[in-house]
Amino acid sequence: MNRINQKLQETKKILSIYFSAGYPSLNDTVKIIEDLEKNGVDMIEIGLPFSDPLADGPTIQASSTQALHNGMTTQVLFDQLKDIRKTVSIPLVIMGYFNPMLQYGVENFCKKCAEIGIDGLIIPDLPVDVYAEEFKAIFEKYGLINVFLITPQTSDERIHFIDSVSNGFIYMVSSASVTGSSAGFGSTQEDYFKRIANMNLKNPQVIGFGINNKETFNQATQFAKGAIIGSAFITNLTNNGVESIREFVKAIR
């Protein structure tokens, strides 16, 4: 069974952390992953930096740009992660845009992910219908879960279609804005969380965008299986360095 599905079967709420590979320094990637697992994080999203990250707010964009300047590429990331399963056992997901994957070759990319122990992909600019028609068979061949995003504006019909195509979890964007732009949740977002919870989808939901502390983590996980923290973690890395990971995670949990 895929590690993501195993993790989703656990009774506790899932804390997933996102960071940009190759940031703050090119060779920090593996240490960050190992330290996150050591300190109780349940799942990690490894951002593959891209020059035109449409869904990302300024914090993640800046870290992605710096990582590219540091020399991060798809191949460098794969080289860094080649032995990651010797030290890390939690689910690892690569989050990135489709262009670098197309350039690498979709099947080659998926094959490499499977070889090094990546469990899933999140590709914000790959439409679910295109995935279902053209790429689903390749992802399944290599045992990779593809995670799709929904927003408050996504229609019920499309959500049900995404649910039917998915076999892991659904990434529930807390608002229609970019990452890092929210500070807590209001009644509109809570109504959205409740609406999705009441749809009884077969795939659990994990909420992202706007989760930045213990309060917002607890608020989000009232309505979903887990929550993802990205911008707040990257800000912490920027201000306090890789050595501060333990304190950051402890403050959430």
Side-chain angles (χ1 to χ4, degrees):
M1 185 190 284
N2 186 292
R3 293 179 195 89
I4 293 171
N5 296 122
Q6 288 177 332
K7 183 61 68 175
L8 291 168
Q9 287 181 357
E10 294 179 9
T11 53
K12 68 174 178 175
K13 298 295 187 177
I14 288 173
L15 171 59
S16 181
I17 296 285
Y18 169 95
F19 76 100
S20 299
Y23 180 84
S25 299
L26 181 64
N27 295 316
D28 284 336
T29 309
V30 170
K31 178 172 171 49
I32 289 172
I33 294 169
E34 290 174 345
D35 284 4
L36 285 170
E37 180 180 47
K38 202 182 302 175
N39 287 290
V41 167
D42 302 298
M43 184 162 62
I44 299 171
E45 292 174 21
I46 305 159
L48 178 58
F50 182 54
S51 55
D52 190 22
L54 300 174
D56 297 323
T59 301
I60 292 176
Q61 280 194 25
S63 67
S64 185
T65 300
Q66 184 58 53
L68 291 171
H69 288 160
N70 290 345
M72 180 52 68
T73 65
T74 303
Q75 190 57 54
V76 168
L77 178 59
F78 284 147
D79 290 344
Q80 288 181 347
L81 298 179
K82 65 180 177 3
D83 295 321
I84 197 68
R85 286 303 174 192
K86 292 179 180 176
T87 56
V88 172
S89 61
I90 61 173
L92 298 176
V93 177
I94 288 180
M95 183 169 185
Y97 293 85
F98 200 42
N99 190 277
M101 300 175 195
L102 274 174
Q103 288 179 348
Y104 199 86
V106 176
E107 179 143 13
N108 286 338
F109 191 94
C110 290
K111 182 169 185 271
K112 198 70 184 170
C113 285
E115 283 172 6
I116 62 179
I118 297 298
D119 303 292
L121 297 171
I122 302 173
I123 312 166
D125 59 341
L126 174 60
V128 62
D129 12 30
V130 175
Y131 166 77
E133 288 169 24
E134 297 182 33
F135 302 109
K136 189 170 188 279
I138 297 173
F139 279 58
E140 290 178 349
K141 176 180 174 182
Y142 293 102
L144 293 169
I145 285 173
N146 198 24
V147 177
F148 293 97
L149 284 72
I150 63 171
T151 75
Q153 282 67 44
T154 309
S155 69
D156 286 6
E157 182 186 10
R158 189 139 184 100
I159 290 169
H160 281 300
F161 178 60
I162 286 170
D163 190 45
S164 72
V165 170
S166 301
N167 60 344
F169 66 91
I170 292 172
Y171 188 133
M172 198 169 148
V173 176
S174 68
S175 69
S177 59
V178 296
T179 57
S181 60
S182 178
F185 302 121
S187 58
T188 306
Q189 285 159 317
E190 289 207 0
D191 289 345
Y192 159 60
F193 296 163
K194 288 174 188 170
R195 175 171 74 88
I196 303 302
N198 289 334
M199 287 178 75
N200 296 315
L201 303 174
K202 73 180 174 74
N203 291 278
Q205 300 88 56
V206 178
I207 296 175
F209 291 47
I211 322 289
N212 49 36
N213 54 26
K214 189 183 187 73
E215 182 189 358
T216 46
F217 177 78
N218 290 338
Q219 205 176 352
T221 53
Q222 270 183 271
F223 306 99
K225 177 62 182 174
I228 300 156
I229 299 178
S231 297
F233 178 67
I234 289 171
T235 298
N236 181 72
L237 285 178
T238 304
N239 295 338
N240 305 307
V242 177
E243 300 72 26
S244 65
I245 288 174
R246 181 174 178 274
E247 288 73 21
F248 182 86
V249 176
K250 199 174 167 187
I252 306 297
R253 275 260 151 94

